Amino acid sequence: MTDSSVLVPAGGRSLLADSSVFESRIAETSKENLFTGSADVDEDMPQVETRVVLVQDAGRNDTLIKALEEIKHPYVTTESVEEYAEADAPEFENVFVISDFQHPSFRYLYKADCRVLGPPIILYCAQKGEPLPFTSRPLYCASMLNLVLCFTGFRKKEELVKLVTLVHHMGGTIRKDFSSKVTHLVANSTHGDKFRVAVSLGTPIMKADWILKAWEKRNDLEFSATEEEFKSEFKVSPFQDCVLSFLGFSDEDRVGMEEMTVMQGGQFLPVGDETCTHLVVEENSVKELPFEPPKKLYVVKQEWFWGSIQMDARAGETMYLFEKHDSPALKKSVSQLSLNTPSSSNRKKRRLKDTLAQITKETDISPFPPRKRPSAEHSLSMGSLLDISNTPESGKSLSGDTTNKISSKPSKISTPVPQKQSARWQVAMELYQTETNYVDILTTVVQLFQVPLEKEGQLGGPILAPEEIKTIFGSIQDILDVHTKIKDDLKKMMMDWAETKSIGEVILCYSKDLVKIYPPFVNFFEMSKETIIKCEKQKPRFHAFLKINQAKPECGRQTLAELLIRPVQRLPSVALLLNDIKKHTSEDNPDKMMLEKAIESLKEVMTHINEDKRKTEGQRQIFDVVYEVDGCPANLLSSHRMLVQRVETVALGEDLCDRGEQVTLFLFNDCLEIARKRHKVIGAFKSPHGQTRPPASLKHISLMPLSQIKKVLDIRETEECQNAFALVVRPPTEQTNQLFSFQLTTEEPLKVDWLRMLCRHIANTICKADAENLIYTTDPDSLEVNTKDVDSTLSRASRAIKKTSKKVTRAFSFSKTPRRALQRALMVHNTPDARSPGPSTEGFGSSRMPSTTSLAHVHSPSMVNLFERKYHTFSRSTTHLI
């Protein structure tokens, strides 16, 4: 039977005769009893044994026969089913196994009310160790076992009969009416009550192709129709059968929403097109519609658009209908708010002025000033976040202008306030008010964003993975808990205010908690922001979730990333306010000393955060190196190690790799990772979480401890040698020194800066104070090094030849560097200061490097010398072997 087979009922008999869509001819076997064993029988009743009859191709299936033998089930094979279907054998109950449910034999067995199974269900039972299912319907496989389906929107009875039959053949059951027991709704239309109820209950809504494609995979024992990757392909899109147009949006927003419409299965047309089904309106900018909408057109707010995407199903339009501004209810509310009637203009202006003055006096400072939203670039800058002189909440006296800081919430300080208070009280009140605002912001982040994302049973499934939610929000809940306690303590103090009240003590009580909760959040804020940006681009449902919630008044027209930066800014703001309070605190006040201690504790917290942040960024850079360098040793990852500098070079020698190859040097505080550019990059690495990482672009050559570098050679600049340097290295496993030479290929860093930095870390590693004395200046001729032809056509051809014969060369080469070249370089001992080079006639003994007996060497760049050396090396090696 081919995958494209179509089931046709025999003799015009409806295969729906035993389904719950129409009149049931027998009681439907429950899901729980489908695979139960035989019930207890009376001892006096004759025992009936189940016998498997393998029909035609099933009898020639060796895998099937082996499975029956393993479970010790009796079976027979036959080419004709009539003799077993009509045979009267009370001691046997025959179960027919047939591979083709379209074959005439299947139709004969179905008409005779015989038990019919497919080979996959036999193999499934043998694999699970379960008895054969007792079901009155033909059952081919278990792809839809335990699924309860309901259908809606199907007008053709033949199409519905076919789908229902296939569901039964795969172990599923059907319900005529939709209820909470239905696991999937199969919809041919997005209209109707069943569709609306399924959306409200979060029931997956599937296309008919889901059933057809599942039937094509019926012979795959490992397949299940509920596999998320398979099922997601056939879900009914939120905007299926919808034609949308957009009114009142900017060009950028409109284009983005149109692209999103197509991604979600819909179409879009210009405003006013008669074929549109929905007009999505930006309610804040549209005052009235440019035309009278027809009755069949849904005019909805943008929240309907984003809400549909968020829950992965079309939302009900009646909840999001756009109301015209000229509606009677709206006109009434506008007339009540009007302040410009001629008869009462002055009186209402005076009343408004008094009201604003009262609000200014009694309310808190709003956490969301009704001003232009700050740009993301400014508000998300991490330049000096923990610098207490650079914070948006820098302290200001309450006597200043508070017109733009009016809060919509009533003041939480209910006690009467005297007309004139001390400057210390005013700053303390500002500390309390900003703390209240800060707690409100954190509460908004947790309640409006974190809690809904973590909620189980979300419509359309989880919007984000648990690890992504953890990365975005981190320890925000812990920060909220601590600052809620601080706010409550400050509130009690302000309600019963006295000049001797100790504000510093309140902060000191929670200093240990602040040290514990802030570093994890601040250190990973950049990762949190990157995760938000990445998920918003890659996950339309999360993008819609942000659009809906960020538009709510609680957010004050700020994005989630802009709200999450507040904890990064809070501690410096508190430190500034405590400083102001200290300035207005007399010397004999006990709180003076407590304030100083509190300020110091906050500075310690911020220092700790900065130090931890620096270490965290260093560790992250090490991970980036490990991912970028193929074959990088695992021991590079260490808690005490950090990346100092990365430089791009070209190899001038041939000890590490071929001359002229691009080499990257990663300088760490105690080692040097050397890697070359990969010649071929194949594929991309995919993590278990489904995230694709770009392939490594570099190939590991050597991880060199800085203690092995004995000298750093600054090669003088000549016409034929530019920006070159060399390292004299003595590995502990080698008896000779090695010379590695490079040419810097980038303008930054400068060669002199790079060499000094390298020597400084070498000196730190070997515990020497005179880092500059590790630099020696030498001539390029003494090392036989030049950079003139390093990227020439001849040099590239030379490298190609050397790559071809690399294995042969390595087999016969025991030493690659001319001893004489390195001896000349080291015997010319110049001044250690690279800034004052000059030839020296002093012997090598005057240097600080130990004498060597055997020296490594480098090759000449010319082609003549190249082949001459190969010939001599081959001769020496052959002589040695003889």
Side-chain angles (χ1 to χ4, degrees), residues 109 139 210 222 246 311 413 421 538 584 586 589 766 774 802 813 869:
L109 292 171
L139 181 62
W210 175 55
E222 303 299 326
F246 301 93
M311 60 186 182
I413 305 298
Q421 283 286 1
Q538 298 178 356
H584 298 94
S586 60
N589 194 321
I766 62 177
L774 293 172
K802 283 183 282 186
S813 178
R869 280 198 305 278

Side-chain angles (χ1 to χ4, degrees), residues 361-519:
K361 179 179 179 181
E362 295 181 357
T363 58
D364 300 339
I365 297 176
S366 171
F368 305 113
R371 294 189 292 179
K372 184 179 178 181
R373 177 171 132 190
S375 66
E377 180 182 358
H378 176 268
S379 59
L380 296 182
S381 173
M382 288 293 292
S384 55
L385 294 177
L386 294 179
D387 180 2
I388 63 176
S389 63
N390 182 22
T391 171
E393 295 180 329
S394 56
K396 291 183 180 180
S397 173
L398 281 184
S399 59
D401 181 17
T402 57
T403 304
N404 291 329
K405 297 183 179 180
I406 298 172
S407 173
S408 59
K409 297 185 179 181
S411 174
K412 297 180 176 59
I413 305 298
S414 58
T415 56
V417 177
Q419 291 295 325
K420 188 175 182 180
Q421 283 286 1
S422 65
R424 173 178 161 84
W425 177 88
Q426 292 183 8
V427 184
M429 176 59 77
E430 184 173 356
L431 174 63
Y432 164 71
Q433 290 175 334
T434 57
E435 188 70 15
T436 302
N437 296 338
Y438 179 56
V439 170
D440 289 342
I441 293 173
L442 297 183
T443 303
T444 296
V445 171
V446 172
Q447 297 299 327
L448 203 60
F449 295 95
Q450 185 177 8
V451 172
L453 288 173
E454 293 177 342
K455 182 180 178 181
E456 296 183 358
Q458 300 174 29
L459 295 179
I463 297 177
L464 292 180
E467 57 270 17
E468 292 171 331
I469 298 175
K470 181 64 177 175
T471 302
I472 291 174
F473 296 100
S475 58
I476 193 75
Q477 181 64 59
D478 298 330
I479 297 175
L480 172 59
D481 293 340
V482 172
H483 280 273
T484 301
K485 297 175 183 178
I486 295 176
K487 183 202 75 170
D488 293 341
D489 290 350
L490 290 174
K491 178 180 178 180
K492 294 176 183 178
M493 180 181 299
M494 299 308 298
M495 292 181 67
D496 188 22
W497 174 255
E499 290 295 319
T500 56
K501 292 284 185 178
S502 180
I503 300 173
E505 188 176 353
V506 174
I507 305 300
L508 282 175
C509 286
Y510 300 97
S511 59
K512 291 183 179 179
D513 295 326
L514 297 177
V515 172
K516 182 179 179 181
I517 62 178
Y518 268 94

Side-chain angles (χ1 to χ4, degrees), residues 799-819:
R799 289 199 298 271
I801 295 173
K802 283 183 282 186
K803 288 176 185 176
T804 306
S805 59
K806 184 180 292 185
K807 291 184 179 181
V808 178
T809 305
R810 288 178 177 173
F812 290 99
S813 178
F814 296 92
S815 178
K816 288 187 175 183
T817 308
R819 188 176 306 175

Side-chain angles (χ1 to χ4, degrees), residues 58-171:
R60 295 184 288 274
N61 190 330
D62 295 337
T63 305
L64 189 60
I65 294 174
K66 184 179 179 181
L68 290 171
E69 291 174 349
E70 288 178 355
I71 61 177
K72 299 179 181 180
H73 217 298
Y75 68 92
V76 295
T77 61
T78 182
E79 293 294 326
S80 176
V81 298
E82 286 79 2
E83 56 176 316
Y84 291 99
E86 298 176 355
D88 186 12
E91 69 276 11
F92 286 108
E93 181 188 13
N94 293 323
V95 178
F96 294 87
V97 179
I98 187 168
S99 300
D100 188 352
F101 272 25
Q102 193 186 16
H103 197 275
S105 297
F106 168 78
R107 301 181 182 183
Y108 177 85
L109 292 171
Y110 181 80
K111 187 175 181 180
D113 290 335
C114 297
R115 290 177 62 188
V116 183
L117 301 176
I121 201 67
I122 304 294
L123 298 175
Y124 176 86
C125 293
Q127 188 182 67
K128 299 292 184 180
E130 298 174 349
L132 297 183
F134 183 84
T135 175
S136 61
R137 300 191 186 97
L139 181 62
Y140 190 87
C141 63
S143 300
M144 287 192 172
L145 186 65
N146 297 329
L147 299 188
V148 182
L149 275 63
C150 186
F151 291 83
T152 184
F154 290 88
R155 302 300 180 189
K156 297 180 180 179
K157 183 177 179 180
E158 296 78 9
E159 182 183 8
L160 182 61
V161 167
K162 175 183 175 181
L163 295 173
V164 169
T165 303
L166 293 181
V167 172
H168 286 153
H169 289 347
M170 291 185 285

